[in-house]
């Protein structure tokens, strides 16, 4: 199981940040070939990212590339380069429909075949950032290769014509819809970045809220946010102690032939047991 507590955006045209992308402690790095790169730098960024994928050691860090959106012909050039470079996953911006995801899947299969990689080797993370994408998130989530969905709140609120606020009430519907679609499909739900790089108190509040409604991780635009986000999406010692107690009670009950057990006076049913085991797995105790 991939851990995606923190996915750090890195501009694909910045050699210094690309070279150091793996040292910040994020679970994954998103090399960006889209919004962070000016049109006249697209070719150079694509070459830089392809070479970095091929040579940089990034053990334990998922290497994701945000290619250009499918309404721009260069998305196929991006795809060819990063599949050859050895990317782990592709992020598709402005994902809006299952048909797009199926077209991406076919293009990936063709590229994998051309460069000699195993068919299906690359995962896809769908970046949902339009009203149409939000409404179609259930179809997108169940498409082949899609292992995660990221909510892009900046583009979404621009499309809605509303201000983006710190409290995020304007994206509450989109957040809920994304989480439900992702959980129903059994994939990761990744929350939108917190864009104020200096407001650490606001960041922590935002991350804890995201976790409380079911998100599995968060995208980041600053390396300064990595530690706080990783901590927020890691079960606390108290949560781990509770989970161990639940599993221990279940095992003892099974040996004793009991049909039901309780922990702290509360009955342990199937959803509680599943939550306890998931909590343990999040810190490597499965």
């Amino acid at each position: 199981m991939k851990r995606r507590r923190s996915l750090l955006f890195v501009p694909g045209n910045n050699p210094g940040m690309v070279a150091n992308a793996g040292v910040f402690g994020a679970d994954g790095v998103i090399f960006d070939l889209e919004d962070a790169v000016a049109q006249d730098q697209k070719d150079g960024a694509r070459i830089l990212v392809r070479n970095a994928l091929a040579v940089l050691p990034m053990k334990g860090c998922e290497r994701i590339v945000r290619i250009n959106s499918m309404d721009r012909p260069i998305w196929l050039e991006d795809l060819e380069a990063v599949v050859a470079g050895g990317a782990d996953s592709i992020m598709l911006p402005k994902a809006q429909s299952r048909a797009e995801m199926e077209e991406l899947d076919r293009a990936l299969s063709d590229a994998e075949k051309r460069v000699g990689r195993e068919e299906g080797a690359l995962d896809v993370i769908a970046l949902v950032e339009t009203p149409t994408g939000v409404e179609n998130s259930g179809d997108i989530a169940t498409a082949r290769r899609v292992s995660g969905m990221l909510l892009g709140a900046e583009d979404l609120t621009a499309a809605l014509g509303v201000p983006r606020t710190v409290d995020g009430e304007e994206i509450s519907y989109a957040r809920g819809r994304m989480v439900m679609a992702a959980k129903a499909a059994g994939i990761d739900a990744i929350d939108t970045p917190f864009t104020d790089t200096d407001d650490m108190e606001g960041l922590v509040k935002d991350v804890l809220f995201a976790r409380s409604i079911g998100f599995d991780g968060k995208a980041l635009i600053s390396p300064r946010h990595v530690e706080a986000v990783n901590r927020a999406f890691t079960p606390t010692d108290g949560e781990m102690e509770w989970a161990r107690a639940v599993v221990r009670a279940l095992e003892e009950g099974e040996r004793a032939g009991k049909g039901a057990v309780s922990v702290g006076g509360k009955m342990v049913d199937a959803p509680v047991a599943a939550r306890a085991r998931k909590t343990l797995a999040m810190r490597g105790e499965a």
Side-chain angles (χ1 to χ4, degrees):
M1 182 178 70
K2 292 178 180 176
R3 289 205 305 180
R4 288 173 169 162
R5 299 170 301 174
S6 53
L7 301 182
L8 176 64
F9 276 104
V10 170
N13 61 341
N14 186 321
M17 288 199 69
V18 169
N20 291 294
V23 306
F24 299 113
D27 289 339
V29 168
I30 306 167
F31 294 113
D32 189 10
L33 297 179
E34 196 213 18
D35 286 350
V37 180
Q39 184 60 37
D40 62 354
Q41 297 179 19
K42 296 285 187 185
D43 291 343
R46 188 182 306 118
I47 294 169
L48 176 63
V49 169
R50 182 194 64 193
N51 292 343
L53 289 167
V55 302
L56 287 180
M58 295 180 65
K59 187 177 181 181
C61 182
E62 184 179 3
R63 302 171 309 164
I64 306 159
V65 180
R66 177 163 73 168
I67 62 174
N68 283 280
S69 55
M70 297 177 77
D71 58 356
R72 309 181 72 180
I74 59 173
W75 76 275
L76 285 169
E77 296 176 52
D78 294 344
L79 201 68
E80 194 79 22
V82 301
V83 171
D88 300 312
S89 302
I90 296 295
M91 177 172 288
L92 181 68
K94 299 179 178 58
Q96 299 203 88
S97 70
R98 187 182 181 88
E100 285 181 341
M101 309 314 294
E102 290 173 348
E103 183 178 355
L104 175 61
D105 174 47
R106 290 192 294 271
L108 276 170
S109 293
D110 290 343
E112 287 166 339
K113 185 177 181 180
R114 280 193 292 272
V115 302
R117 295 188 66 178
E118 181 181 356
E119 200 273 339
L122 279 84
D123 281 355
V124 169
I125 297 176
L127 174 50
V128 175
E129 50 189 343
T130 68
T132 301
V134 171
E135 288 302 284
N136 289 336
S137 56
D139 288 339
I140 293 170
T142 55
R144 185 171 182 262
R145 294 184 191 255
V146 176
S147 61
M149 287 196 300
L150 165 62
L151 175 63
E154 303 306 317
D155 281 74
L156 178 62
T157 50
L160 293 174
V162 298
R164 178 79 171 96
T165 68
V166 174
D167 291 337
E169 289 187 14
E170 69 280 359
I171 59 169
S172 58
Y173 169 78
R175 274 174 156 164
R177 179 118 185 178
M178 288 272 300
V179 167
M180 291 299 172
K183 298 302 177 181
I187 66 173
D188 294 324
I190 303 160
D191 194 31
T192 189
F194 187 79
T195 56
D196 188 334
T197 58
D198 296 325
D199 182 5
M200 298 305 289
E201 182 178 347
L203 169 69
V204 171
K205 181 180 178 182
D206 191 57
V207 178
L208 291 176
F209 174 74
R211 186 184 173 200
S212 76
I213 62 171
F215 280 100
D216 301 292
K218 193 170 184 66
L220 319 173
I221 61 169
S222 171
R224 297 181 61 223
H225 290 179
V226 171
E227 182 178 354
V229 171
N230 281 349
R231 188 185 314 118
F233 277 107
T234 300
T236 65
D237 290 344
E239 290 169 329
M240 290 296 289
E241 185 177 342
W242 167 82
R244 292 187 192 107
V246 168
V247 172
R248 192 163 53 244
L250 287 167
E251 292 172 348
E252 291 173 355
E254 186 175 340
R255 285 195 293 271
K258 294 181 179 178
V261 298
S262 64
V263 171
K266 295 182 179 179
M267 189 179 76
V268 176
D269 55 13
V272 173
R275 186 160 62 245
R277 291 193 172 100
K278 182 177 180 181
T279 298
L280 295 177
M282 290 170 69
R283 282 182 54 174
E285 293 185 30

